[in-house]
mmCIF file of all heavy atoms in Angstrom:
data_model
loop_
_atom_site.group_PDB
_atom_site.id
_atom_site.type_symbol
_atom_site.label_atom_id
_atom_site.label_comp_id
_atom_site.label_asym_id
_atom_site.label_seq_id
_atom_site.Cartn_x
_atom_site.Cartn_y
_atom_site.Cartn_z
ATOM 1 N N ALA A 109 -8.404 12.527 -3.403
ATOM 2 C CA ALA A 109 -8.731 11.555 -2.410
ATOM 3 C C ALA A 109 -7.543 10.334 -2.465
ATOM 4 O O ALA A 109 -7.050 10.001 -3.502
ATOM 5 C CB ALA A 109 -9.993 10.692 -2.972
ATOM 6 N N ARG A 110 -7.189 10.013 -1.214
ATOM 7 C CA ARG A 110 -6.227 8.903 -1.119
ATOM 8 C C ARG A 110 -6.590 7.835 -0.038
ATOM 9 O O ARG A 110 -5.740 7.140 0.519
ATOM 10 C CB ARG A 110 -4.887 9.481 -0.724
ATOM 11 C CG ARG A 110 -4.151 10.049 -1.991
ATOM 12 C CD ARG A 110 -3.752 9.002 -2.926
ATOM 13 N NE ARG A 110 -3.138 9.336 -4.132
ATOM 14 C CZ ARG A 110 -3.616 9.781 -5.285
ATOM 15 N NH1 ARG A 110 -4.991 9.821 -5.383
ATOM 16 N NH2 ARG A 110 -2.931 10.110 -6.343
ATOM 17 N N ASN A 111 -7.863 7.666 0.242
ATOM 18 C CA ASN A 111 -8.351 6.600 1.119
ATOM 19 C C ASN A 111 -7.969 6.969 2.572
ATOM 20 O O ASN A 111 -7.288 7.868 2.972
ATOM 21 C CB ASN A 111 -8.070 5.223 0.656
ATOM 22 C CG ASN A 111 -8.970 4.214 0.805
ATOM 23 O OD1 ASN A 111 -9.731 4.147 1.911
ATOM 24 N ND2 ASN A 111 -9.213 3.390 -0.048
ATOM 25 N N THR A 112 -8.441 5.976 3.420
ATOM 26 C CA THR A 112 -8.375 6.196 4.850
ATOM 27 C C THR A 112 -7.099 6.037 5.585
ATOM 28 O O THR A 112 -6.867 6.669 6.659
ATOM 29 C CB THR A 112 -9.492 5.442 5.627
ATOM 30 O OG1 THR A 112 -9.241 3.911 5.290
ATOM 31 C CG2 THR A 112 -10.850 5.803 5.189
ATOM 32 N N ALA A 113 -6.176 5.250 4.919
ATOM 33 C CA ALA A 113 -4.858 5.177 5.456
ATOM 34 C C ALA A 113 -4.108 6.500 5.438
ATOM 35 O O ALA A 113 -3.439 6.903 6.496
ATOM 36 C CB ALA A 113 -3.900 4.034 4.797
ATOM 37 N N ALA A 114 -4.313 7.200 4.458
ATOM 38 C CA ALA A 114 -3.613 8.602 4.185
ATOM 39 C C ALA A 114 -4.264 9.468 5.368
ATOM 40 O O ALA A 114 -3.510 10.220 5.952
ATOM 41 C CB ALA A 114 -3.940 9.054 2.954
ATOM 42 N N VAL A 115 -5.481 9.403 5.516
ATOM 43 C CA VAL A 115 -6.165 10.292 6.456
ATOM 44 C C VAL A 115 -5.788 9.982 7.862
ATOM 45 O O VAL A 115 -5.341 10.881 8.637
ATOM 46 C CB VAL A 115 -7.724 10.146 6.455
ATOM 47 C CG1 VAL A 115 -8.384 10.922 7.515
ATOM 48 C CG2 VAL A 115 -8.256 10.592 5.030
ATOM 49 N N ALA A 116 -5.577 8.537 8.235
ATOM 50 C CA ALA A 116 -5.102 8.287 9.556
ATOM 51 C C ALA A 116 -3.674 8.773 9.757
ATOM 52 O O ALA A 116 -3.276 9.293 10.834
ATOM 53 C CB ALA A 116 -5.130 6.744 9.683
ATOM 54 N N ALA A 117 -2.833 8.673 8.650
ATOM 55 C CA ALA A 117 -1.447 9.199 8.844
ATOM 56 C C ALA A 117 -1.364 10.615 9.059
ATOM 57 O O ALA A 117 -0.688 11.162 9.917
ATOM 58 C CB ALA A 117 -0.722 8.751 7.603
ATOM 59 N N VAL A 118 -2.122 11.449 8.249
ATOM 60 C CA VAL A 118 -2.072 12.795 8.299
ATOM 61 C C VAL A 118 -2.700 13.300 9.765
ATOM 62 O O VAL A 118 -2.046 14.129 10.482
ATOM 63 C CB VAL A 118 -2.934 13.488 7.325
ATOM 64 C CG1 VAL A 118 -3.100 15.002 7.641
ATOM 65 C CG2 VAL A 118 -2.187 13.311 5.941
ATOM 66 N N ALA A 119 -3.729 12.645 10.195
ATOM 67 C CA ALA A 119 -4.404 12.937 11.494
ATOM 68 C C ALA A 119 -3.301 12.649 12.586
ATOM 69 O O ALA A 119 -3.301 13.414 13.597
ATOM 70 C CB ALA A 119 -5.656 12.216 11.659
ATOM 71 N N ALA A 120 -2.633 11.465 12.627
ATOM 72 C CA ALA A 120 -1.803 11.073 13.712
ATOM 73 C C ALA A 120 -0.697 12.034 13.804
ATOM 74 O O ALA A 120 -0.290 12.472 14.894
ATOM 75 C CB ALA A 120 -1.366 9.625 13.445
ATOM 76 N N ARG A 121 -0.165 12.485 12.677
ATOM 77 C CA ARG A 121 0.938 13.440 12.693
ATOM 78 C C ARG A 121 0.498 14.838 13.241
ATOM 79 O O ARG A 121 1.217 15.437 14.108
ATOM 80 C CB ARG A 121 1.502 13.627 11.254
ATOM 81 C CG ARG A 121 2.515 12.615 10.858
ATOM 82 C CD ARG A 121 3.837 12.605 11.512
ATOM 83 N NE ARG A 121 4.869 11.718 11.002
ATOM 84 C CZ ARG A 121 5.836 11.231 11.554
ATOM 85 N NH1 ARG A 121 5.979 11.397 12.831
ATOM 86 N NH2 ARG A 121 6.742 10.412 10.993
ATOM 87 N N HIS A 122 -0.574 15.305 12.710
ATOM 88 C CA HIS A 122 -1.154 16.493 13.254
ATOM 89 C C HIS A 122 -1.326 16.558 14.702
ATOM 90 O O HIS A 122 -1.004 17.507 15.362
ATOM 91 C CB HIS A 122 -2.420 16.888 12.449
ATOM 92 C CG HIS A 122 -3.093 18.088 12.899
ATOM 93 N ND1 HIS A 122 -2.566 19.359 12.499
ATOM 94 C CD2 HIS A 122 -4.237 18.288 13.702
ATOM 95 C CE1 HIS A 122 -3.447 20.208 13.205
ATOM 96 N NE2 HIS A 122 -4.301 19.669 13.819
ATOM 97 N N ILE A 123 -2.031 15.544 15.244
ATOM 98 C CA ILE A 123 -2.380 15.555 16.678
ATOM 99 C C ILE A 123 -1.128 15.329 17.539
ATOM 100 O O ILE A 123 -1.044 15.856 18.579
ATOM 101 C CB ILE A 123 -3.454 14.418 16.833
ATOM 102 C CG1 ILE A 123 -4.790 14.665 16.237
ATOM 103 C CG2 ILE A 123 -3.647 14.133 18.392
ATOM 104 C CD1 ILE A 123 -5.792 13.801 16.184
ATOM 105 N N ALA A 124 -0.222 14.398 17.016
ATOM 106 C CA ALA A 124 0.916 14.155 17.918
ATOM 107 C C ALA A 124 1.712 15.394 18.019
ATOM 108 O O ALA A 124 2.325 15.628 19.089
ATOM 109 C CB ALA A 124 1.742 12.989 17.257
ATOM 110 N N ASP A 125 1.882 16.189 17.012
ATOM 111 C CA ASP A 125 2.562 17.378 17.106
ATOM 112 C C ASP A 125 2.028 18.383 18.001
ATOM 113 O O ASP A 125 2.767 19.142 18.707
ATOM 114 C CB ASP A 125 2.627 18.025 15.722
ATOM 115 C CG ASP A 125 3.549 17.357 14.738
ATOM 116 O OD1 ASP A 125 4.317 16.469 15.134
ATOM 117 O OD2 ASP A 125 3.523 17.497 13.443
ATOM 118 N N LYS A 126 0.679 18.379 18.052
ATOM 119 C CA LYS A 126 0.002 19.247 19.106
ATOM 120 C C LYS A 126 -0.030 18.678 20.621
ATOM 121 O O LYS A 126 0.103 19.386 21.482
ATOM 122 C CB LYS A 126 -1.454 19.483 18.711
ATOM 123 C CG LYS A 126 -1.588 20.290 17.375
ATOM 124 C CD LYS A 126 -2.998 20.301 16.911
ATOM 125 C CE LYS A 126 -4.137 20.772 17.868
ATOM 126 N NZ LYS A 126 -3.915 22.221 18.122
ATOM 127 N N ASP A 127 -0.288 17.469 20.664
ATOM 128 C CA ASP A 127 -0.540 16.832 21.936
ATOM 129 C C ASP A 127 0.004 15.336 21.841
ATOM 130 O O ASP A 127 -0.559 14.389 21.373
ATOM 131 C CB ASP A 127 -1.978 16.707 22.219
ATOM 132 C CG ASP A 127 -2.291 16.084 23.567
ATOM 133 O OD1 ASP A 127 -1.364 15.559 24.231
ATOM 134 O OD2 ASP A 127 -3.468 15.983 23.803
ATOM 135 N N PRO A 128 1.310 15.085 22.296
ATOM 136 C CA PRO A 128 1.959 13.808 22.185
ATOM 137 C C PRO A 128 1.141 12.636 22.791
ATOM 138 O O PRO A 128 1.268 11.500 22.433
ATOM 139 C CB PRO A 128 3.259 13.946 22.934
ATOM 140 C CG PRO A 128 3.563 15.484 22.677
ATOM 141 C CD PRO A 128 2.223 16.131 22.879
ATOM 142 N N ASP A 129 0.332 13.006 23.723
ATOM 143 C CA ASP A 129 -0.522 11.987 24.490
ATOM 144 C C ASP A 129 -1.986 11.936 23.888
ATOM 145 O O ASP A 129 -2.751 11.171 24.463
ATOM 146 C CB ASP A 129 -0.587 12.293 25.993
ATOM 147 C CG ASP A 129 0.722 12.155 26.692
ATOM 148 O OD1 ASP A 129 1.460 11.273 26.200
ATOM 149 O OD2 ASP A 129 0.988 12.989 27.631
ATOM 150 N N GLY A 130 -2.221 12.653 22.932
ATOM 151 C CA GLY A 130 -3.661 12.764 22.321
ATOM 152 C C GLY A 130 -4.109 11.500 21.677
ATOM 153 O O GLY A 130 -3.358 10.658 21.083
ATOM 154 N N LEU A 131 -5.494 11.258 21.884
ATOM 155 C CA LEU A 131 -6.155 10.188 21.270
ATOM 156 C C LEU A 131 -6.835 10.697 20.036
ATOM 157 O O LEU A 131 -7.557 11.723 20.123
ATOM 158 C CB LEU A 131 -7.188 9.474 22.216
ATOM 159 C CG LEU A 131 -6.533 8.732 23.413
ATOM 160 C CD1 LEU A 131 -7.759 8.268 24.309
ATOM 161 C CD2 LEU A 131 -5.687 7.674 23.057
ATOM 162 N N ALA A 132 -6.835 9.943 18.914
ATOM 163 C CA ALA A 132 -7.594 10.404 17.758
ATOM 164 C C ALA A 132 -8.875 9.397 17.699
ATOM 165 O O ALA A 132 -8.719 8.213 17.853
ATOM 166 C CB ALA A 132 -6.707 10.162 16.491
#
Side-chain angles (χ1 to χ4, degrees):
R110 280 296 180 267
N111 215 317
T112 56
V115 175
V118 168
R121 279 292 190 206
H122 173 77
I123 292 168
D125 287 347
K126 291 170 58 70
D127 180 356
D129 295 324
L131 296 175

